[in-house]
Amino acid sequence: MSTADRVMQSYGRCCASPDFFDSFYRHFLASSPEVREKFANTEMNGQKLLLRQGILNLVMHARGMPDTKLRALGCSHSRAAMDIRPELYVLWQQALLQTIGEHDQQYCNETRNAWNEVLDKGIAVIKAGY
């Protein structure tokens, strides 16, 4: 099975867990005062939908989709827009991996490595827009 396929299956299992996205934001918001500040005035139900789509875009990029949507995310998260510093993506990725580990019953080192490979590739595109 390819890395991207392994991640797609893992993500499907995570999305089937009713509180996956709430769990992610609990971990992510707990990771840093700066992260909490960035989300202080955010409508979280809509944000969770954006997260769901954003993760899917990262996975689809790893499966060969053009990077158009990731570059658009990079633009919206850039210094000139939301000013999401590149260092914050480390916290985002750590929170996501922690949450996946809690919600994917088949999570193992191989799955974690696959997620890291997929996330590193896509996040590099987003950070390049900073």
Side-chain angles (χ1 to χ4, degrees):
M1 175 184 324
S2 77
T3 299
D5 288 343
R6 176 179 295 281
V7 168
M8 182 63 103
Q9 289 181 7
S10 173
Y11 188 47
R13 291 187 296 270
C14 290
C15 287
S17 177
D19 66 337
F20 174 75
F21 295 101
D22 289 323
S23 293
F24 167 78
Y25 277 110
R26 273 193 302 277
H27 294 307
F28 189 41
L29 293 173
S31 71
S32 157
E34 184 177 356
V35 170
R36 284 189 296 281
E37 181 183 313
K38 292 287 185 186
F39 286 92
N41 299 310
T42 301
E43 194 283 304
M44 292 308 289
N45 286 328
Q47 183 62 36
K48 286 182 268 186
L49 293 173
L50 291 172
L51 174 65
R52 181 184 195 106
Q53 186 61 48
I55 296 170
L56 182 60
N57 288 339
L58 288 163
V59 175
M60 295 305 293
H61 175 63
R63 295 181 93 190
M65 182 181 85
D67 65 3
T68 310
K69 291 184 180 187
L70 297 181
R71 283 188 287 113
L73 266 174
C75 188
S76 69
H77 287 67
S78 72
R79 182 180 293 111
M82 287 189 277
D83 193 25
I84 306 302
R85 292 183 311 104
E87 299 80 27
L88 295 177
Y89 292 97
V90 173
L91 300 176
W92 186 90
Q93 188 166 341
Q94 289 171 344
L96 182 60
L97 291 170
Q98 180 179 359
T99 308
I100 293 164
E102 295 169 357
H103 291 269
D104 179 358
Q105 298 303 312
Q106 297 178 36
Y107 192 71
C108 62
N109 285 336
E110 199 171 345
T111 303
R112 181 184 179 85
N113 292 340
W115 270 104
N116 273 319
E117 184 178 324
V118 165
L119 294 172
D120 289 345
K121 179 181 178 183
I123 290 171
V125 174
I126 296 168
K127 288 187 335 188
Y130 188 71

